[in-house]
Amino acid sequence: MPDTQEKERKSLEERNQMSDLERLRHSCAHIMATAICRIWPDAQFAAGPPVENGFYYDVDLEHRITPDDFEKIEAEMKKVVKENQVFEKVIVSRDEALEMAKKGRLAAVAERDVPSQFKIDLLGDIPEEEEISLYKNGDFWDLCAGPHVPRTGNCKAFKVMSVASAFYKGDASNPQLQRVYGTAFKNKTLLEEHLVQLEEAKQRDHRKLGKELDLFHIDEMVGQGLVLWKPNGAVVRQELQNFISEHLERQGYSQVFTPHIGKLDLYRTSGHFPYYADSQFPPLAERDTLESLADEGCTCGELMNKLEEGDVQGFLLKPMNCPHHIKIFQSNHHSYRDLPVRLAEFGTVYRWEQSGELGGMTRVRGFTQDDAHLFCTEEQVKDEIMGCLELVKIVLGTLGMEDYRVRVGLRDPDSSKYVGDPEKWDRAEEALREAASTLGTDFTEEPGEAAFYGPKIDFVVKDVIGREWQLGTVQVDYNLPERFGLEYVGADNASHRPVMIHRAPFGSMERFVGVLIEHFAGKFPTWLSPEQVRILPISEKFVDAADKVYETLRNEGIRVTVDKTNEKVGAKIRLAQLARIPYMLIIGAKEQESNQVSIRHRDRGDGGAVSVDEFKDQIVDEVRSRSL
RNA sequence: GCUCUUGUAGCUCAGGGGUAGAGCACUUCCUUGGUAAGGAAGAGGUCACGGGUUCAAAUCCCGUCAAGAGCUCCA
């Protein structure tokens, strides 16, 4: 009992602290707006809230703010702070506020010829019954619910961070504003700490490490968002796939292989085409068909129509693996005794993501899902979901990824984008909820996060920049069995419709490895390391001894190399450290004589000399147990 | 897709209307060295691509492609 009380008090304290910080950041947003107003009086401000790591203010301004302006803005902000203006709350009537806005007096330091257009719009969004408050600091008046710190002098540690663009109210049909980001902390020490953290985060960015460690490459000539796995990256991926394959075996899955394309009819039946055509690579049509259509003077628009209507046959790069797996299921008759059928594949899919959204390995156009589809009876759904969750937990647990959240995605009651019978949705949502509650981890239910064909459970992790990525996923699907007319023969000798479950514990290999690189900061556990051991002979004289150790380890399946360059050990160690190789084995006269190696671990440093066999047994065990 | 920023050697980056720069990596030679950089020499670039302005463009302007940040979208 005292335990929970202790906890509650602490979390309340934490929350209060947070809101103090948010208040400070919000005040900084006003100070920044004040500064921008003084520099560019024609600035029109929209919204300026605190956010996770700071604050921003959206501004419409003729002048394009660039990083070169940050210093100027900060200098002006410092002046405002030095003036130690009081943040004063003024309650006004709607008409008074409107009057000021029309004179351009809101989010401004003086009256202007142009009205404060965004503030007028925002005023309209405030419900009738709510009171309208303005905040003023010095000459700067702004429409604002507050709260604020007492004085501008309370904001001592801030920094203008970046500028980007944002649509007003997040709607692409609205004008684009310049969003100026800043961060602020209670004091300079905390600000410094945060900046150092950002710098460290940059160091472990998977795009940077991917290059340094030679893991993957994205080439302009190959195409945006199409990942080339280099030999080192391929090792990591292969090890992960072996790992998951072992568990597939244990959990009664069958692995299959399917091609990367399928006929449009397949996706017409599944409903992926043309409904999701915008996020697919365009269809492929046969050359002969294209030629004869061209002869007839067919336009591109007409061709698209014909493809969509099915008048012309074509192929699609597969956006999902499920239709292929369904066809495998359908190629046999199934008795209820066969169920559940679990078909797994590391299946590569292609999706036309918008170019501005692509990045590194986490958002790409071609990716390989560790996909599987389970065909089961309605009664088996819950157990199967629990089995899937179990697998996700094993995966994340083995890799030491504890920092994730579980999201149960339910349908948005107000939306019509979902297919299928509401009663079945209810049953599926209930099954997921029940399964999630057995996880032993907290989860949030989020309406509107369901897939269009069914509810799902997602495992979401954050990358170093703090962006959330969905990795593992378990989704119930009542829709596809219906569309493809799937059946099995029940104990009653009548035909029944199976339920389908889609699941992918990693999500995609690309995204997962991207997140994994950042999680480990490039220091993969030994079982995943592209190079597990590097042998460093002290000089040329000991190369033969090194080669012997190399053979011994290689025979055990250890990924090992010998550094035969004409360098001193110091230099060899440095390179091995930079490559994040877990073990360095140093061999000189001493070791050669005693048939030993001196171990240096990338994190633990000098580990002293042990016999070759002892080291061999130790590393083989470490790799086999997949220890962290 | 939209806005802004960026694109110079394999990598990290400097420079900038008048013959292309550094460090690391690479090659060769010297050195045979005990826990994060031994020394010397050499090689390597149509300055992303296409146009324009100019006596002259890597540099200025326009366009395209790509990357980054953010917004929007996401099966």
Side-chain angles (χ1 to χ4, degrees):
Chain A
M1 278 298 137
D3 267 9
T4 47
Q5 273 183 355
E6 179 79 20
K7 254 185 195 164
E8 267 174 26
R9 201 174 339 135
K10 206 176 177 186
S11 73
L12 202 68
E13 231 168 57
E14 275 169 9
R15 231 174 294 150
N16 279 339
Q17 261 183 354
M18 267 315 288
S19 90
D20 274 354
L21 188 57
E22 278 173 4
R23 177 192 303 226
L24 179 80
R25 287 170 173 172
H26 187 195
S27 297
C28 279
H30 277 237
I31 293 171
M32 185 173 76
T34 309
I36 290 174
C37 250
R38 286 183 182 178
I39 303 169
W40 299 284
D42 61 327
Q44 287 285 348
F45 290 92
V51 288
E52 196 177 346
N53 284 315
F55 60 89
Y56 67 80
Y57 218 127
D58 283 344
V59 58
D60 186 27
L61 182 61
E62 192 76 24
H63 171 81
R64 292 288 154 203
I65 296 175
T66 67
D68 294 338
D69 296 319
F70 293 173
E71 212 173 305
K72 204 189 326 178
I73 296 171
E74 278 173 18
E76 198 60 44
M77 286 174 75
K78 277 179 191 149
K79 278 190 206 162
V80 176
V81 169
K82 205 167 180 193
E83 288 160 22
N84 202 15
Q85 302 164 347
V86 176
F87 276 104
E88 199 178 328
K89 183 175 184 177
V90 184
I91 306 291
V92 294
S93 73
R94 187 168 295 260
D95 286 344
E96 286 170 316
L98 208 57
E99 202 50 43
M100 289 183 73
K102 279 181 183 162
K103 290 182 194 160
R105 191 63 189 85
L106 288 187
V109 289
E111 285 188 10
R112 299 178 296 185
D113 298 338
V114 188
S116 306
Q117 40 168 333
F118 298 112
K119 298 295 172 180
I120 293 176
D121 187 58
L122 290 171
L123 263 172
D125 292 343
I126 302 176
E128 276 306 322
E129 63 279 9
E130 227 168 83
E131 68 174 22
I132 291 176
S133 65
L134 306 183
Y135 266 87
K136 79 176 280 274
N137 56 286
D139 295 328
F140 184 81
W141 287 78
D142 198 357
L143 174 70
C144 176
H148 281 280
V149 296
R151 291 171 161 273
T152 58
N154 296 94
C155 300
K156 288 195 165 61
F158 54 81
K159 187 170 167 60
V160 180
M161 301 296 288
S162 62
V163 59
S165 118
F167 295 106
Y168 178 55
K169 291 183 176 172
D171 185 339
S173 60
N174 281 337
Q176 279 200 302
L177 307 171
Q178 302 187 62
R179 178 167 291 181
V180 188
Y181 281 89
T183 191
F185 285 85
K186 240 187 214 159
N187 57 53
K188 292 216 164 107
T189 319
L190 288 170
L191 174 65
E192 273 312 312
E193 258 172 41
H194 179 247
L195 295 178
V196 168
Q197 263 174 32
L198 282 184
E199 203 42 52
E200 281 170 4
K202 248 195 206 160
Q203 295 307 313
R204 57 161 69 192
D205 188 309
H206 77 276
R207 289 165 298 195
K208 182 177 159 70
L209 287 173
K211 221 179 254 184
E212 281 175 13
L213 303 180
D214 244 346
L215 297 168
F216 67 93
H217 173 65
I218 296 174
D219 195 276
E220 267 191 44
M221 202 175 271
V222 175
Q224 281 185 287
L226 300 173
V227 175
L228 305 176
W229 294 76
K230 299 174 83 170
N232 285 346
V235 168
V236 177
R237 171 167 164 174
Q238 192 62 55
E239 286 291 346
L240 289 169
Q241 292 191 358
N242 293 346
F243 164 51
I244 202 116
S245 292
E246 277 175 30
H247 285 279
L248 289 177
E249 186 96 353
R250 274 183 223 172
Q251 293 206 357
Y253 284 79
S254 315
Q255 294 210 48
V256 297
F257 297 99
T258 65
H260 289 217
I261 63 172
K263 273 163 73 172
L264 286 176
D265 277 344
L266 179 67
Y267 298 102
R268 211 169 269 125
T269 304
S270 71
H272 295 115
F273 185 83
Y275 193 57
Y276 282 101
D278 277 355
S279 40
Q280 293 158 3
F281 278 72
L284 309 160
E286 281 176 45
R287 187 185 302 275
D288 288 351
T289 312
L290 286 176
E291 278 170 3
S292 66
L293 283 172
D295 288 344
E296 291 164 25
C298 177
T299 67
C300 290
E302 284 163 0
L303 173 62
M304 278 312 288
N305 280 337
K306 284 178 193 290
L307 285 164
E308 286 185 9
E309 314 257 305
D311 294 341
V312 168
Q313 224 359 300
F315 293 88
L316 201 61
L317 271 171
K318 68 178 173 188
M320 293 188 109
N321 300 305
C322 22
H324 287 83
H325 291 179
I326 286 172
K327 281 299 168 188
I328 290 176
F329 177 82
Q330 256 182 329
S331 67
N332 294 106
H333 268 286
H334 292 282
S335 147
Y336 70 99
R337 297 173 197 274
D338 305 333
L339 302 188
V341 168
R342 309 184 184 93
L343 302 179
E345 177 181 16
F346 292 96
T348 307
V349 298
Y350 300 88
R351 301 184 187 176
W352 190 260
E353 302 287 355
Q354 296 184 77
S355 62
E357 206 35 75
L358 298 168
M361 295 184 104
T362 41
R363 197 65 184 270
V364 292
R365 282 186 174 159
F367 55 94
T368 303
Q369 299 175 312
D370 56 326
D371 211 359
H373 296 94
L374 288 67
F375 303 85
C376 62
T377 68
E378 184 103 25
E379 295 72 47
Q380 291 168 329
V381 167
K382 197 183 141 197
D383 279 349
E384 288 307 307
I385 293 173
M386 283 169 58
C388 295
L389 294 181
E390 192 52 38
L391 188 56
V392 178
K393 272 175 74 175
I394 291 172
V395 165
L396 295 176
T398 303
L399 294 160
M401 302 178 76
E402 311 294 346
D403 194 18
Y404 57 89
R405 68 187 188 89
V406 179
R407 176 174 74 194
V408 180
L410 307 173
R411 68 195 187 283
D412 187 342
D414 298 333
S415 174
S416 58
K417 72 171 184 175
Y418 306 103
V419 294
D421 179 355
E423 273 177 41
K424 289 184 171 174
W425 270 86
D426 288 339
R427 283 203 299 266
E429 293 187 347
E430 194 44 41
L432 280 178
R433 211 176 267 132
E434 276 181 43
S437 64
T438 66
L439 249 181
T441 316
D442 289 341
F443 62 92
T444 57
E445 294 187 13
E446 296 184 25
E449 283 295 325
F452 77 96
Y453 49 76
K456 57 178 185 170
I457 298 180
D458 292 328
F459 290 76
V460 180
V461 302
K462 278 187 186 175
D463 69 9
V464 289
I465 310 174
R467 288 182 294 205
E468 282 199 329
W469 296 104
Q470 178 201 310
L471 295 178
T473 182
V474 179
Q475 315 183 350
V476 180
D477 188 347
Y478 285 97
N479 174 49
L480 283 176
E482 198 76 42
R483 295 189 74 109
F484 280 92
L486 300 186
E487 327 189 298
Y488 67 89
V489 180
D492 56 359
N493 199 30
S495 88
H496 297 268
R497 184 130 298 160
V499 181
M500 243 179 99
I501 297 170
H502 311 243
R503 49 96 288 185
F506 288 149
S508 94
M509 300 310 294
E510 285 75 7
R511 179 176 291 180
F512 193 82
V513 168
V515 170
L516 210 56
I517 291 168
E518 301 186 354
H519 172 69
F520 289 122
K523 291 182 182 175
F524 293 107
T526 307
W527 69 279
L528 279 176
S529 289
E531 192 175 339
Q532 297 166 319
V533 179
R534 187 174 291 180
I535 304 172
L536 313 178
I538 293 280
S539 82
E540 250 166 37
K541 291 178 209 150
F542 309 106
V543 165
D544 286 347
D547 279 339
K548 263 193 214 153
V549 178
Y550 167 85
E551 282 303 327
T552 308
L553 293 174
R554 234 179 81 94
N555 287 338
E556 296 295 329
I558 300 298
R559 293 183 288 272
V560 54
T561 62
V562 182
D563 185 343
K564 297 182 181 176
T565 56
N566 266 343
E567 289 294 342
K568 300 211 249 182
V569 230
K572 292 183 181 180
I573 285 171
R574 180 165 182 276
L575 284 177
Q577 284 286 152
L578 289 175
R580 273 86 161 171
I581 296 161
Y583 291 101
M584 289 153 266
L585 300 182
I586 292 150
I587 297 187
K590 242 174 22 202
E591 290 81 2
Q592 187 177 34
E593 248 167 64
S594 58
N595 198 28
Q596 285 186 315
V597 288
S598 284
I599 304 175
R600 182 190 160 103
H601 186 269
R602 69 180 167 205
D603 295 318
R604 299 190 287 270
D606 194 340
V610 298
S611 77
V612 176
D613 282 341
E614 196 178 323
F615 174 75
K616 183 191 77 184
D617 291 345
Q618 177 204 320
I619 191 167
V620 165
D621 184 60
E622 186 183 341
V623 168
R624 191 170 298 146
S625 64
R626 298 200 170 96
S627 44
L628 288 171

